[in-house]
Amino acid sequence: MKTMSVSKPKKQKKTMAERSNTLRAGVLGSNDGILTVVGVLFSVAVATTNTFTIFIAGLSDLLACAFSMASGEYASVSSQKDTERAAIEKERELIKTNYQDELDVVANYYVERGVKENTANSIAKELMEKDALGTVVRVKYDLQLGHYMSPWDAAFSSLVSAASGGIFPLVAMTLLPAAIKWPGTILAVTLSVALTGYLSAKLGDGLVKTAIIRNVIVGIITMAIHYSVGLML
């Protein structure tokens, strides 16, 4: 039985999904950076008024959060990439050994979407003749050959964004005059988490208002909890 070439495709430009994944990692990293750093800052600032001590504590947490987020994203996306590659290699072998079954899967895909059986079979045969592997992985897994989420892009995005997010509360708490240090930090955190809530909703096609409110509430709760912890120190 005739089967088509299943050679690996050339490297292509990033898809929207790949770019969105990098942006998603950045938004999540920024949000975590804001909340973890302000948590440490509030706990320490309540316990001591020494600005240098507060700064070192906040900076240490900022760096720890940034590298933790980066390593977590790298591990997560690497695992996803390995899974996708394994699925593609499995389909590559199935096309060689069970071509008809794979052809039937593609035909059924179109039948389930309202295409008449004869037409679906014709479409499946034409697509499989052009690009058997690409067609099968798209139908079965919604994957596009040659396009994998980049672990390094996600890790770098998280690293930079977590560090950038944490800078807002760190700068506010350590550089603002004593008279406005606390309200200034609270305002900086509230505006920052509102922005990350807005961006996360836009990237995920979610409800913008709900995401902003949820993030602001979480930010306020985080500050309140760590302020209380500082009082107990």
Side-chain angles (χ1 to χ4, degrees):
M1 180 176 292
K2 181 182 178 180
T3 59
M4 302 310 296
S5 172
V6 290
S7 58
K8 294 181 180 180
K10 295 180 180 179
K11 187 176 181 181
Q12 301 172 344
K13 292 182 179 180
K14 290 184 179 180
T15 62
M16 180 61 72
E18 291 172 295
R19 291 193 293 269
S20 295
N21 183 69
T22 301
L23 291 172
R24 174 199 60 80
V27 171
L28 293 177
S30 181
N31 200 62
D32 277 8
I34 295 165
L35 295 180
T36 56
V37 171
V38 77
V40 170
L41 288 173
F42 268 44
S43 297
V44 176
V46 172
T48 179
T49 57
N50 187 299
T51 302
F52 182 73
T53 299
I54 296 170
F55 174 77
I56 291 299
L59 179 62
S60 298
D61 186 70
L62 184 151
L63 294 174
C65 174
F67 283 100
S68 175
M69 286 292 298
S71 62
E73 279 293 334
Y74 180 83
S76 175
V77 177
S78 292
S79 178
Q80 177 183 345
K81 185 176 180 179
D82 290 343
T83 300
E84 291 175 354
R85 280 180 165 171
I88 289 172
E89 290 307 312
K90 176 184 176 182
E91 295 305 324
R92 192 189 301 276
E93 290 302 314
L94 287 174
I95 289 171
K96 294 176 181 178
T97 58
N98 296 285
Y99 186 84
Q100 186 60 47
D101 289 343
E102 297 291 86
L103 181 64
D104 291 341
V105 168
V106 177
N108 290 334
Y109 173 84
Y110 288 100
V111 169
E112 290 172 359
R113 281 154 181 76
V115 178
K116 292 182 179 180
E117 187 173 347
N118 289 337
T119 304
N121 287 330
S122 298
I123 293 173
K125 288 178 180 178
E126 184 175 347
L127 290 175
M128 291 289 281
E129 287 174 359
K130 285 184 177 180
D131 182 9
L133 183 58
T135 299
V136 171
V137 297
R138 177 179 59 80
V139 167
K140 281 190 173 183
Y141 307 105
D142 194 25
L143 295 176
Q144 189 173 347
L145 285 182
H147 292 281
Y148 303 101
M149 301 303 179
S150 171
W152 288 109
D153 285 352
F156 183 74
S157 178
S158 288
L159 176 70
V160 173
S161 60
S164 300
I167 286 176
F168 290 103
L170 180 62
V171 169
M173 180 62 75
T174 57
L175 295 185
L176 287 177
I180 61 171
K181 178 179 297 185
W182 286 96
T185 303
I186 293 172
L187 179 60
V189 171
T190 301
L191 293 176
S192 298
V193 294
L195 177 60
T196 58
Y198 171 82
L199 292 175
S200 65
K202 285 295 185 180
L203 289 174
D205 294 325
L207 299 175
V208 172
K209 184 177 180 181
T210 300
I212 291 175
I213 293 174
R214 180 173 57 238
N215 259 28
V216 169
I217 291 175
V218 170
I220 292 173
I221 292 174
T222 299
M223 289 185 282
I225 290 174
H226 285 87
Y227 183 86
S228 301
V229 170
L231 291 176
M232 294 186 289
L233 295 178

